[in-house]
Structure formats: C-alpha cells, structure tokens
Amino acid sequence: MAALLSLALLSLAPPAMSFAPPRAPSAAQSRDPPASRAAVVLLGSSSDENANGGAPRPPDDGLEQYSRCLSPVEARRSVRDESNRYSIIDSRKTLLGRIARGPARLLGRAVAGVAGRRGAKKPGSLILLRCGESEWTKTGRFTGWADPDLIREGVLEVEHAGRLLLSEGYEPDIVYTSLLKRAVKSVWAILNTLDSSYLPVYKSWRLNERSYGALTGLRKMDAAKELGYDVVQAWRNSHNARPPPMKETDEYYPGNDRRYDGLVEGGVPLTESLADCMERARPLWEYGISRKIEKGNTVLVVAHTNTLRGLMKVIDGISEEDIKEVSMPGGIPFVYKFDSNMRPLPPEEGKMSQAHTNGVFLEKPGLIQEALERTARWDRVVPGSFGQILPQIHRTTNLEDCLFKLKEEQSSAKKNEEVGVNPNDDGHLIVTNMANAPAENIEFGGGDADFEEFFEGNGDQTMDISMNVQKVSEESPGIVKQGTSNDPVVVFIRHGRTPHNVLGLFTGWEDPPLAPEGVEDARRAGRLLKMHGFEFDVVYTSWLQRAIETAWYCIDELDETWLPIVKSWRLNERMYGALTGQSKQMIANKYGEDQLKKWRRGFKVQPPAVSSYSLNYPGNDYRRAKQVRDLRISLSETINRSIEAREIQVHRKFPKAESLWNCMNRSIPFYTERIVPEAVQNGKRVLITSHENAIRGILMHLCDIPEEAMNQLHLPNGLPLVYNVRGKCITLLDDGTGKDPMDVHDFGPAAQYLFRPCEVDDDFWGEIETRGAEGEPKKREVVTA
C-alpha cells in the first residue's frame, strides 16, 4: 500500500506545452469488469516497485513517448491536419473564385480597415457543456477512454441544457466534441433540441476524458476500499500524479481501436495526470476553437469534465492549485464572452459564475437534479415519455394535420366497408361480415407515398435483370468484415421515410424529421451493414434532418458514432420551388394534370420558382445560409437585401426551383470533386445518406444511366446500395430471408441500368474479404437473381 501511495505522490510529470497525439481504444469497451479486479490489476502494476524497495519505477518507453512536448509549430500542424482531413464546412473553390481570391483579399483588408475605425467585429461566444451521464458514471466507475453509452438521465441532462440555450438566445455555429460515444450522442440530443442537426461537428481525440490507466473500469469505492481512500484521491485530484499505467494487453487499452488510426506511434496514453489531459486539449483551443470564435462564431464544446476544466484553465489562466476548485456540473452550459483581444470578459453583476473563472452558468447548479427527479417520477407513470437518445420532434403544419386526419377517416371508412360495418338508424355500428375484420390498425404508407421522387415509366417492371447480391457468410454470419479491405467502397442509403412521404407531399428542401417508420428504415440499414461486417471511415450527408438522422441511426447500429460526418447542401433533395409542401392532387387542381406530369417526368423542366420572400426559399433560413461557403454571390439579392437592411447584406444564389438536371449538376460534382479526391482515392470506405434525386445523379454518373431512363429509377428508403469502386457495380446485401430482392423492392424500369454485372471475375470478392477473428479470409458469394 505504501508503494502505491508513493507512486501516486512521487511519479509527477512536469506540465508540457502540448502532447503528441494517440494512435488507437477497443470496440468492446462497455462491458462491465468484475469489481474484484481492482486489487489484482493495481497491485500487479506495482510489482516492480515492491521489488525495488518501494521506490517508484521509472515510466516505460511508451509513457515517456506520450509525454514528450510538441513545439508550437508541430502542435499547430497537428491540429490543422486533424481538422482538414475532411472538409466539415463546404469551401469549394470555383475557377472564378480562385482568380478573384487576390482582389477579394485586398478588398477584405480595406473593408476591415473601415470596420476597425467603426468598431471591429465582435468575437463569438464559447459554450462549454459536460456530456450526459453514462452507464459507468451511474455505477461509479473510472471511465476515461472507455466507451460506455449514455443513459436516459444523461439524455435528459443535455436536452435540458439545449432548452437553457434556447431560452437565453444562444445559437451555436460550430460544435466540437470528443470521439467517445457518450459525448457524440450528447451532441445529437442537444442539436435535436436546438433544431440544428445541420451544424458542422468536429470530433477530436484531444477532447477525450482523462485516461485513468489501470483504474479504467473499476468501481471507485472498491478501489478506495482495496487501496486506501487517500491513494485513490491522490490519483484523482493531484495535478501531476498519474495512476498506474494500463498494459497493452488490457481489455480497455485504447491502442486497438481504429478510431485512433493515423495518430503517432506510441501516442495512445497508458495513463494520464490531470496536467496531461489538460495540456493535450490546449492546442485545439489555441489553433482551432479560439480562431473560430475570433471570427465571430459561437462555438459549442460538448466534452468531459477534465478536458473542459483544461480549457477553462487556459482561458482564465488558472493556476495548478486553483484549478482543483473548479468544477463542471452536468446539464448546465457554462458561457464565456470575449473582448477584441480574445480575453474573457468578467461576468455581469448578478450572473452565476464560480471562483477563478470568468464564465457564466445559465442556471444555478443543483436545480437540474430536482427537475430530473420530477421527470423520473413522471416517467414511471408514463414509461418512455422522456429521455430518448434521438427524440422525434414531429413538427406538423395545419395542412399535414388535416391530411393525416383525412387519411385516417378514409382508411377507417374503407375498412368498415370491407368488414361490413354500417351505422343503423340510432347511429350505432352493426358488423355484418366478421370474416373480413382487419387484424391491424390503419397504415399510412403505400399508395403514392413516394410519388414526389418516383417518375413513372411505362409500367413494365417484369424484365430479366442480373442483380449482384452479396450473401451472408454461413460459417460466421455477422463476423465477416468487408469494411477493412484495401479497396474503397461507397454505400448509398436513401433516407428513411418522413411524414411528407407518408402523406404524398413534395418535400424538397423542407425539413421534416423521420417518421417512426423512417427510424426503423435507418436502423434496419445499419443492422444489415453490420451483419455483413461493413466498417466505414467517413459519412457524407445533406444538411436536411431526415438524411442526418438516417446517418445517426445507421452509425449507432454500427457502433461507429465517432465517424466524421460531412454535411453539404449539395446532397440535398431537389428543390421543388412553389410545389414544396403540396400534394399531387392540389397541384393538379391548380395547374392541370398535364403540367403536373411535365414537372414530374421532365428531366430539364423546372417547377415554378418560389419568391425571394417565401418561407420555402432556402436563403431565408439564415442559420443554414451562413454555413454555405461554396455558392456564388447573388448580386440582385445582395442589392435588394442591403437596401432593405440599410447595410451591406451579402447574399448567395440559392436555388428557387430545380429540375432533376439542376439537382444532378450539384450532386455529381460534389461526388467527383470532393468525395472522390478526399476519400475514395485515399482508399476510404464511404457511407452516403442522402435523397433520391441527389443519389440518382451520382448513380447516373457511376452506372452510365441515360437521361431518358433517369425518371424511371426508384430508390427504396433505407436500402443500402453498395458500389464497388474497383468492380464498377452496384450490389445489394442479402438480408438472410431468402427472398429475391426484386420481389421485395421496386426499383422501377431503369433497374436494368443500375444492376449491371461487375467488371471482375468471381474471385474478386475473395480478394476484398476482411479477415475474421484469426486473420483468415472469408469467402463471400456473389449470385445473380
């Protein structure tokens, strides 16, 4: 015991400027370890000390390598490389843009000079939020870099924080979080609360919680009982003391998780002091977060207690002794404001802060616990009322409410007619034919649910099509991993169903969330990909909620919540202009059936455009509009809006209506000019969750589908379409039911162009199989239906 106490108090690491990045944690980190493991692991880790008369053993080579300092140049380059690996914010440079870059910079400097005389642009705010409570936090375990999931109370905490931000008028522009599931899912929940799922989110290992070394997974009370309260508290609270390092054979060793691939050799921490944890977050603040704030952005950081305290230590210049008194309660945002020199402004009189800091709590700490207890009592009365990871906010207009009610009434009347239910003279129902009684409640799907994006062909869909179907391995279903092959692969998934799909409304750039059926579409896609062993490196999606939620649910099923998600308007659905939000019948009555057919079936025919002042015009959604950097400026809109505002209002040229051709002219270049060079050419495995017309355009490019056939191709919701880059072919995944995919899914008459034979022989799949548990390649069969 004395030896361990000596280790805690004497093995002090001097604070460093910044630390080298780690390399890689394990996928099976959320299993609960036995409590009795504490004494075995910790006493075992100090055996060298006991043999050396109680003196602390020198740190091993891995620990020394992790603790080495980076120069400011190396730290800046490290953060820049991590941030630029994928362009989270669109910044596509056109030829004209590149030519005009020089003059634009000169003009910008001139404008900045004038602005400086009038008053420089104010920096944005920084919002710090601790992630929600996890499974291990609830049971009092040392978590660190282990990856347990959020619990219901944790979701409630961050949702409460989102409501506090809304009540105070804070609108984040950019989000930073760690690579750990509990932080990422906290971001999902708070963005849903803020109705801001489109915001760019940077995920960095630098914001991971402190590594507790060999303590990881142990119950804090058990460790204190076995080793002594003072020893454990010294490891927890001392600024420089490190717990005993974990071994590379430990089940929670982070070096086995591919989410940390690409980080320097030996960079994965075997243990960390508070100083280690805080200092590795410093470069992200200095070369990333602070620069975004300086440009006027409000930045939300959702991370863990010790990394947030590290940011506070840097921002407020808190000493090593005083930082021990700074805490970060859950569920309450802590907000900083800055002057023009990026110095934190002191809190206003009457605002709630804490010692040694200049930030402000948006609520008195402790109040949230009372609210959560009341919520828990209510939830016991009405189970499932609160605390979903991704709560479904069913925003419906009066039109949608009316259509849902009408559909329900018509469905009920139809079923009554089939059953033989008729009202008698007294108004009571008489059942005359029980044999036809329906066994289920009404269903809102089917019929014309997908009409807005399904352009009918000649109706002949009984053609002979050779379809590539990737079979599940019978020897080890669910273990075969395609995703780790050296060949790049791109998987397309059309978003899950929405209330608009169910009602048969033109959706376009409107932003309804997934319907319950759509949530299941997305989760089913994730389970199917996991069954076939797919792993991904990056996700691309649109800025519309239904596509983003599909990505969230899918990677949640894959247990890859840490993946970078790139959101771009170029993967949005076709902009339907003045047709947005209307049904087929409404449009036919207003414009005529013939005109409706032209808009639906014409490849280059645009529907009527929306007005610049319409709620359906994308440029009027200023929260999204300010995220766009790759659209040219609209001179007419800029002039009109500047006159109205009596100040310069630069406005970009957002589409007011699009034909199918217009939609493809933005989605295809995004694939060829962004996704291919950024990911595909680097051998990355890409998941694209988007919309039917955006995906159609890319498939038209990849599969050489002629223009005249494009309005005859239908893509089912939530179905993974696997494009093998080497084989230049689309493959479907066997779901294990034994059913012919062509009998289950309707792809329309143009399916013959989509499902062409791969440009490889049958041995191709064997070459791209990933290794099983023992490194043996698993054969996978390709059959034609």
Side-chain angles (χ1 to χ4, degrees):
M1 191 69 66
L4 289 175
L5 181 58
S6 176
L7 176 64
L9 300 178
L10 298 179
S11 60
L12 303 179
M17 280 287 295
S18 58
F19 293 106
R23 182 190 41 175
S26 94
Q29 288 181 336
S30 59
R31 295 192 300 270
D32 287 345
S36 60
R37 176 172 166 265
V40 176
V41 173
L42 296 181
L43 292 176
S45 66
S46 61
S47 58
D48 292 344
E49 292 178 40
N50 295 333
N52 197 28
R57 69 179 182 184
D60 56 32
D61 293 339
L63 194 56
E64 286 179 339
Q65 187 174 10
Y66 171 71
S67 302
R68 75 178 192 275
C69 293
L70 290 175
S71 69
V73 174
E74 290 175 322
R76 182 171 63 249
R77 184 183 299 118
S78 173
V79 172
R80 182 194 62 200
D81 291 345
E82 293 164 14
S83 301
N84 294 340
R85 188 170 302 143
Y86 300 103
S87 301
I88 302 298
I89 298 178
D90 284 331
S91 57
R92 180 172 175 254
K93 298 293 191 301
T94 62
L95 177 60
L96 182 61
R98 289 193 292 268
I99 294 173
R101 186 186 306 170
R105 285 178 177 172
L106 293 176
L107 179 61
R109 288 176 186 148
V111 171
V114 174
R117 288 190 293 272
R118 294 181 179 177
K121 185 176 182 180
K122 290 177 57 177
S125 301
L126 172 66
I127 305 168
L128 303 181
L129 178 65
R130 196 181 87 183
C131 66
E133 191 174 17
S134 72
E135 298 165 346
W136 283 18
T137 309
K138 183 77 172 179
T139 55
R141 298 181 185 275
F142 287 100
T143 309
W145 282 40
D147 204 20
D149 208 342
L150 275 184
I151 58 174
R152 179 183 143 298
E153 290 83 355
V155 180
L156 292 173
E157 284 180 353
V158 292
E159 288 177 347
H160 178 79
R163 288 188 282 272
L164 287 174
L165 292 176
L166 284 174
S167 69
E168 296 287 335
Y170 287 100
E171 295 181 349
D173 300 305
I174 300 169
V175 183
Y176 282 83
T177 190
S178 75
L179 296 179
L180 300 175
K181 186 186 303 179
R182 56 193 184 274
V184 174
K185 285 194 172 182
S186 294
V187 170
W188 294 355
I190 196 171
L191 291 185
N192 246 326
T193 303
L194 296 172
D195 192 19
S196 301
S197 58
Y198 56 87
L199 287 178
V201 178
Y202 291 89
K203 301 171 185 174
S204 174
W205 68 274
R206 294 182 179 277
L207 291 175
N208 279 16
E209 179 56 287
R210 171 191 179 187
S211 171
Y212 285 102
L215 299 179
T216 303
L218 305 179
R219 289 187 177 88
K220 296 171 184 176
M221 294 303 298
D222 293 337
K225 187 183 299 182
E226 295 285 346
L227 302 165
Y229 177 82
D230 292 339
V231 174
V232 174
Q233 284 301 100
W235 284 324
R236 292 185 64 191
N237 298 328
S238 172
H239 188 70
N240 293 314
R242 295 172 178 152
M246 65 172 63
K247 300 179 184 300
E248 294 190 2
T249 55
D250 192 282
E251 67 173 315
Y252 300 113
Y253 170 58
N256 299 320
D257 194 318
R258 69 186 188 88
R259 80 184 74 185
Y260 303 106
D261 287 352
L263 302 182
V264 298
E265 184 69 22
V268 173
L270 300 178
T271 184
E272 286 182 311
S273 65
L274 278 172
D276 295 334
C277 174
M278 293 176 176
E279 288 298 323
R280 67 167 151 84
R282 178 192 290 269
L284 187 62
W285 163 256
E286 292 179 345
Y287 307 116
I289 298 172
S290 66
R291 299 190 177 188
K292 296 287 194 299
I293 296 172
E294 196 171 6
K295 293 179 180 179
N297 294 297
T298 294
V299 176
L300 169 64
V301 179
V302 181
H304 312 268
T305 302
N306 289 311
T307 43
L308 294 176
R309 291 171 68 209
L311 293 177
M312 296 160 76
K313 182 177 185 295
V314 174
I315 294 169
D316 287 306
I318 304 173
S319 68
E320 293 183 9
E321 191 63 31
D322 290 340
I323 193 62
K324 299 175 184 178
E325 301 176 18
V326 175
S327 63
M328 195 65 206
I332 307 176
F334 193 69
V335 181
Y336 281 96
K337 295 181 181 296
F338 301 89
D339 63 19
S340 58
N341 295 314
M342 285 301 294
R343 291 188 295 257
L345 295 172
E348 299 175 3
E349 186 176 352
K351 296 291 185 179
M352 291 171 287
S353 186
Q354 60 177 320
H356 315 299
T357 69
N358 289 295
V360 172
F361 285 116
L362 296 190
E363 184 180 73
K364 182 179 179 181
L367 293 181
I368 184 176
Q369 296 304 322
E370 300 176 11
L372 291 180
E373 289 173 6
R374 289 195 300 270
T375 299
R377 289 195 296 271
W378 175 257
D379 201 33
R380 284 193 290 271
V381 178
V382 185
S385 303
F386 303 93
Q388 301 176 26
I389 297 293
L390 294 176
Q392 292 304 299
I393 307 172
H394 294 291
R395 301 183 302 275
T396 57
T397 63
N398 182 61
L399 171 63
E400 293 168 348
D401 289 338
C402 290
L403 290 178
F404 267 117
K405 184 64 176 176
L406 178 63
K407 205 170 184 74
E408 181 180 358
E409 292 168 348
Q410 292 174 340
S411 178
S412 298
K414 182 178 179 181
K415 291 188 176 182
N416 288 341
E417 183 179 347
E418 292 174 353
V419 175
V421 178
N422 297 295
N424 63 10
D425 294 337
D426 297 328
H428 294 91
L429 294 179
I430 301 175
V431 179
T432 60
N433 184 8
M434 284 300 295
N436 294 328
E440 301 177 352
N441 293 328
I442 63 170
E443 296 181 1
F444 294 110
D448 288 329
D450 297 321
F451 83 91
E452 76 157 288
E453 292 150 351
F454 180 31
F455 295 71
E456 305 106 331
N458 55 19
D460 179 14
Q461 301 182 31
T462 59
M463 59 195 69
D464 183 18
I465 298 175
S466 178
M467 179 182 293
N468 303 309
V469 181
Q470 186 169 309
K471 289 290 187 180
V472 180
S473 170
E474 296 181 359
E475 297 179 3
S476 54
I479 299 178
V480 179
K481 292 186 178 180
Q482 149 135 11
T484 55
S485 76
N486 292 324
D487 290 309
V489 64
V490 181
V491 175
F492 298 92
I493 301 177
R494 181 189 171 192
H495 64 79
R497 286 167 286 178
T498 70
H500 277 51
N501 295 134
V502 172
L503 293 172
L505 303 178
F506 283 93
T507 311
W509 285 37
E510 270 203 326
D511 203 20
L514 293 181
E517 302 94 329
V519 173
E520 181 55 29
D521 290 337
R523 288 204 175 277
R524 189 186 304 114
R527 291 193 294 268
L528 183 58
L529 290 167
K530 186 172 184 178
M531 183 170 69
H532 283 264
F534 275 82
E535 294 176 346
F536 295 98
D537 299 301
V538 61
V539 180
Y540 292 88
T541 188
S542 74
W543 71 2
L544 299 176
Q545 185 171 352
R546 55 193 185 274
I548 295 170
E549 285 188 355
T550 298
W552 286 351
Y553 283 114
C554 191
I555 63 177
D556 188 27
E557 292 289 340
L558 289 166
D559 196 23
E560 295 181 337
T561 55
W562 51 270
L563 288 174
I565 300 180
V566 180
K567 305 165 188 174
S568 173
W569 70 272
R570 293 184 177 275
L571 290 177
N572 278 14
E573 180 53 278
R574 173 187 175 188
M575 170 56 179
Y576 283 101
L579 308 186
T580 301
Q582 300 189 50
S583 70
K584 178 176 65 174
Q585 192 60 48
M586 294 166 62
I587 296 167
N589 289 337
K590 186 175 182 179
Y591 297 98
E593 194 71 38
D594 292 340
Q595 185 60 58
L596 173 63
K597 290 180 179 178
K598 290 179 182 178
W599 288 329
R600 292 178 65 194
R601 300 180 183 180
F603 184 67
K604 293 188 177 181
V605 180
Q606 284 188 359
V610 296
S611 161
S612 297
Y613 300 98
S614 168
L615 291 176
N616 292 324
Y617 174 53
N620 291 331
D621 186 349
Y622 78 95
R623 296 188 304 162
R624 283 184 169 93
K626 66 182 179 180
Q627 300 290 339
V628 176
R629 301 288 187 272
D630 58 341
L631 261 178
R632 70 181 181 87
I633 294 173
S634 170
L635 183 60
S636 60
E637 291 288 343
T638 296
I639 293 174
N640 291 337
R641 291 169 189 265
S642 297
I643 293 174
E644 182 183 18
R646 298 184 179 182
E647 64 179 11
I648 298 297
Q649 295 279 332
V650 177
H651 193 81
R652 298 186 181 272
K653 193 174 181 62
F654 290 94
K656 297 181 178 179
E658 288 182 315
S659 65
L660 183 57
W661 180 77
N662 296 137
C663 178
M664 293 177 179
N665 273 350
R666 55 175 164 83
S667 66
I668 294 175
F670 183 78
Y671 180 81
T672 57
E673 298 174 16
R674 275 285 306 276
I675 297 177
V676 170
E678 192 172 74
V680 177
Q681 288 181 351
N682 292 318
K684 303 300 183 182
R685 297 148 295 188
V686 177
L687 174 63
I688 299 176
T689 62
S690 185
H691 310 264
E692 184 165 39
N693 285 314
I695 296 176
R696 269 179 175 169
I698 299 173
L699 293 178
M700 177 183 177
H701 166 74
L702 296 176
C703 302
D704 297 322
I705 302 175
E707 287 184 8
E708 58 271 16
M710 284 308 299
N711 60 6
Q712 300 176 6
L713 177 64
H714 176 56
L715 303 179
N717 296 90
L719 180 69
L721 300 175
V722 182
Y723 177 74
N724 188 274
V725 177
R726 177 181 166 188
K728 297 181 180 179
C729 60
I730 295 291
T731 301
L732 296 181
L733 301 178
D734 177 19
D735 61 4
T737 63
K739 296 179 180 179
D740 186 338
M742 290 302 290
D743 293 336
V744 178
H745 306 290
D746 178 15
F747 293 94
Q752 58 182 317
Y753 300 101
L754 187 63
F755 298 107
R756 289 174 172 169
C758 295
E759 297 182 7
V760 290
D761 54 30
D762 290 340
D763 292 333
F764 173 66
W765 286 114
E767 296 177 16
I768 67 167
E769 295 291 348
T770 63
R771 293 176 174 82
E774 298 179 357
E776 294 295 329
K778 306 280 186 183
K779 288 289 182 180
R780 203 181 269 131
E781 180 185 0
V782 176
V783 299
T784 57

